[in-house]
Amino acid sequence: MFDDIHGLTPERAARLTPLVEQSRPMLDQEEGMEAVQRFLRDQEASVIDSIVVTRELLGAGPASLGPAKEIVFTSAARTTELKEHQRFVERIEEA
């Protein structure tokens, strides 16, 4: 798992692997990937870690990064966090 992600430390991979394993059954639920995103948020997974986990759930191929980013960035579970990030970026741009 995570064999093709450069720079991912063994410790981080060990931390993310259980998140992938716990998330897989959620994909069969009615809410599917949105349930996964809520779970990852509740586990305090960062946006980047959530993308890595989501990418793995999508099959981890080269074409899965874009869809994984879109899923995480558009998830209702991340709305507050992403709005805060956007305000931060806007303040930096104004400075």
Side-chain angles (χ1 to χ4, degrees):
M1 192 173 298
F2 309 119
D3 294 332
D4 62 340
I5 299 179
H6 300 290
L8 188 67
T9 65
E11 295 81 15
R12 189 169 171 203
R15 191 178 76 248
L16 297 178
T17 297
L19 294 177
V20 172
E21 293 168 353
Q22 293 172 43
S23 297
R24 284 193 198 282
M26 293 179 203
L27 295 175
D28 295 331
Q29 297 176 4
E30 184 177 325
E31 295 180 358
M33 193 58 83
E34 189 60 33
V36 170
Q37 298 309 311
R38 280 194 307 274
F39 167 73
L40 294 172
R41 178 204 59 207
D42 294 346
Q43 296 299 309
E44 299 181 357
S46 69
V47 170
I48 297 300
D49 285 350
S50 295
I51 291 169
V52 171
V53 169
T54 301
R55 181 180 177 273
E56 189 68 28
L57 293 170
L58 294 174
S64 61
L65 179 58
K69 287 170 44 176
E70 183 174 346
I71 288 167
V72 173
F73 291 144
T74 61
S75 170
R78 295 286 179 179
T79 301
T80 301
E81 186 177 14
L82 292 173
K83 283 181 183 178
E84 289 174 15
H85 174 75
Q86 184 60 36
R87 282 191 291 258
F88 175 74
V89 169
E90 289 170 0
R91 279 183 263 154
I92 290 174
E93 289 174 347
E94 290 174 1

